[in-house]
Amino acid sequence: MTAGGYRVAPARLDAVAGESGSRAEALAAAQSAVAGEKLPATAFGQVSESAAAAKTFEKTMTELGGELGSHVALARRIQSGLVACAAGYRRADAQVAAMYRALLPEDPLPRAGNPAGIGGSADTGAWAHAIADNRVKVADALTAERSRLAALTDLDEVARSQARIKLYEDILAHDRQILRFDPAGNGRIAELVGHIEPGTRNVGLFVPGVNTQMANFDAYAGLGRSLVAADPAGRTAVVVWADGVFPQGPVAQGPAAGYAQAMAPDLKHFADDLRGEIASHAGSDVTLTAIGHSYGGATVGLAETHGLDVDRVLHVESAGMGHGVWSPADLPPSQAGVQRFSMTAPLDPIVLAQGNAWGLEWTGVGHGADPDVFPGVTELGTGNQADGSPSWGVSSHNDVLKPGSDSWTNIYRVLTSGGSVTP
């Protein structure tokens, strides 16, 4: 609010809350050290008053520990209050923004350069309400995660919680367009990077793979940002879709098809929704490309068996064409016109999964045919990393997504031009 001469800055409240949390942790550490401090009577010499001196020292330390404890509790109450205030202001901002967005017309009138009257952007209309609602959910999740972090002791859990907090703060600070959001469990989320609007010509739908969760989602969102930023004409948008339960641990859960089988119908329905947004905001002259990385490739492949409505599919270090997909005959007629591309870096361990039925496909294990040799698929080289060094081995599995690499360049070229790629 500025009319009254002041403005609330939730980010500043978050910063002060963080300072209060750090102070509380420091005081708690001091309290723990003091509470455990004891000296034997012999430390005060071999005189009759030694035992009394030791008891006095212990009493003093206990009282000091109690005082420190009260300061720790106060600092944590202040932190909790500040976090709640910041979340409250963000929630109110999001609700007001949603109210004003609701007053905007769904479909603006025809105008020069937009004779069909196509809508202004996917951040107006139906998706605008989802974005506004999810902003409120993210603010609430931030409050809850900060409180959860204060009680954690396991270092891995602390790191994951801190990563979630960083993500939530960045979403709120930069008004990121979150289309799906559920913080339960490992978390589910989908984000639109860029805008779907008149002039948009390329839309990507990126699906990540094994170990995807809320705590590492931003790494994949970063790929979306790099692809959108690379188009100087602003014609490209990318949706990063992690709105599912992904397998955790490549050895334990990676070969199981059940996760992809559960996600594939949801991905198909989301693509239908995305097609609707494209049609209403950008028109019909738009190419939609599904990009599946690792386990995400198998998920995209299975979504094709449900009739995934895309123009191109790109398998990147993909686990396979999808459980039970061994030839084009295993795909429905709707997929006959889909362009398909694949890339796998040399000696990436994912080759052990590609085309391997594991001898147990009937039990729900395995991901179908090797995308690199699937009929009609154009195989692309992964080439070199941005610094010119070759991309191969275990690290190549994720290195292929790094901007500047030959593989990233091929991803961008498939997304924006289809056939103009480096084999």
Side-chain angles (χ1 to χ4, degrees), residues 268 301 303-311 325 327-340:
K268 192 273 180 187
E304 281 211 76
T305 67
H306 293 273
L308 182 68
D309 185 10
V310 296
D311 301 292
V325 179
S327 77
D330 295 319
L331 297 173
S334 63
Q335 307 310 108
V338 175
Q339 285 184 292
R340 297 188 184 86

Side-chain angles (χ1 to χ4, degrees), residues 300-396:
V300 169
L302 271 180
E304 281 211 76
T305 67
H306 293 273
L308 182 68
D309 185 10
V310 296
D311 301 292
R312 301 172 188 145
V313 167
L314 171 57
H315 289 265
V316 181
E317 313 299 302
S318 173
M321 291 296 296
H323 185 75
V325 179
W326 294 99
S327 77
D330 295 319
L331 297 173
S334 63
Q335 307 310 108
V338 175
Q339 285 184 292
R340 297 188 184 86
F341 304 85
S342 181
M343 63 171 72
T344 305
L347 300 182
D348 180 344
I350 197 70
V351 299
L352 298 175
Q354 293 173 333
N356 192 335
W358 302 90
L360 296 169
E361 190 185 42
W362 59 274
T363 66
V365 176
H367 301 297
D370 180 349
D372 292 337
V373 297
F374 193 80
V377 170
T378 300
E379 185 179 6
L380 307 175
T382 58
N384 298 323
Q385 299 185 46
D387 62 3
S389 61
S391 180
W392 63 279
V394 175
S395 63
S396 68

Side-chain angles (χ1 to χ4, degrees), residues 253-282:
Q253 299 180 343
Y259 297 92
Q261 290 170 324
M263 286 189 284
D266 291 341
L267 179 61
K268 192 273 180 187
H269 293 315
F270 181 86
D272 290 342
D273 190 20
L274 177 55
R275 276 292 194 190
E277 290 295 318
I278 292 171
S280 62
H281 293 96

